[in-house]
Amino acid sequence: MSFILRAYTNSIQKRPLLTQAFTTGTLFGTGDVIAQTAVEGTPLHSLDTARTSRLALYGGCFAGPVMITWYKFLSRTITLQSKAASLAVRVALDQLLYAPCLISKLQGLAHGPDGNFWFVPVHHQALVVNTVALGWNTYLSALNQRSKKSGGGGGTTDKTQ
């Protein structure tokens, strides 16, 4: 396990955007596969690969790059004299600005932000959030599919029917 973490750390420091895009895309796709197999009971040979691909593409092309850019921005710009004050401001900005934007785009409030900012180096913060968000993404994927199957149109209801 330490080899994997060292390899990831080396990669995220040398190629942060590419590494984060790949990691996030992989975890979003994995979350959908878990949703389809463990939650919905779909056999592996019957997976909706287009759905998994869409989620992986979203994670890799949007969520990952945005996430690493955001955490670097907070790390560079919020540097107060007190570590505790820096932590409080970073958490507040993360929860008030960043999280609501990505909730509307699927990500959600899926992490323990105070621990992430306090204990996790900036180059590992997005990985920690993505790993914890795996469960949240699995849930959202399953919920979205259940809504489509029940005629809810992806979470909306049509009162004219």
Side-chain angles (χ1 to χ4, degrees):
M1 185 64 152
S2 65
F3 168 76
I4 293 171
L5 185 57
R6 276 195 313 271
Y8 176 82
T9 300
N10 185 44
S11 183
I12 198 78
Q13 289 174 338
K14 289 183 178 177
R15 295 172 295 283
L17 194 60
L18 181 63
T19 302
Q20 191 56 48
F22 176 78
T23 304
T24 306
T26 299
L27 288 170
F28 269 60
T30 301
D32 184 62
V33 170
I34 293 170
Q36 288 187 55
T37 57
V39 178
E40 298 166 22
T42 305
L44 279 174
H45 66 277
S46 298
L47 289 178
D48 182 349
T49 55
R51 173 179 141 186
T52 302
S53 297
R54 282 191 304 272
L55 280 167
L57 188 64
Y58 168 80
C61 293
F62 178 75
V66 168
M67 192 177 302
I68 195 155
T69 302
W70 174 248
Y71 288 132
K72 282 184 173 185
F73 168 78
L74 288 179
S75 179
R76 274 193 324 267
T77 58
I78 309 301
T79 55
L80 305 175
Q81 286 185 332
S82 160
K83 279 190 167 190
S86 292
L87 167 69
V89 172
R90 288 177 186 170
V91 169
L93 290 173
D94 190 53
Q95 296 301 295
L96 295 172
L97 299 177
Y98 174 76
C101 293
L102 286 192
I103 284 174
S104 68
K105 298 289 187 203
L106 181 68
Q107 180 68 16
L109 290 166
H111 55 22
D114 51 346
N116 191 30
F117 288 118
W118 191 261
F119 297 110
V120 180
V122 68
H123 58 275
H124 286 151
Q125 287 174 353
L127 175 66
V128 170
V129 170
N130 281 328
T131 302
V132 174
L134 181 61
W136 179 245
N137 293 335
T138 299
Y139 168 74
L140 288 178
S141 180
L143 186 65
N144 187 39
Q145 190 62 23
R146 186 176 307 136
S147 177
K148 286 180 181 177
K149 284 183 178 178
S150 69
T156 60
T157 57
D158 184 357
K159 301 205 185 285
T160 61
Q161 295 181 356

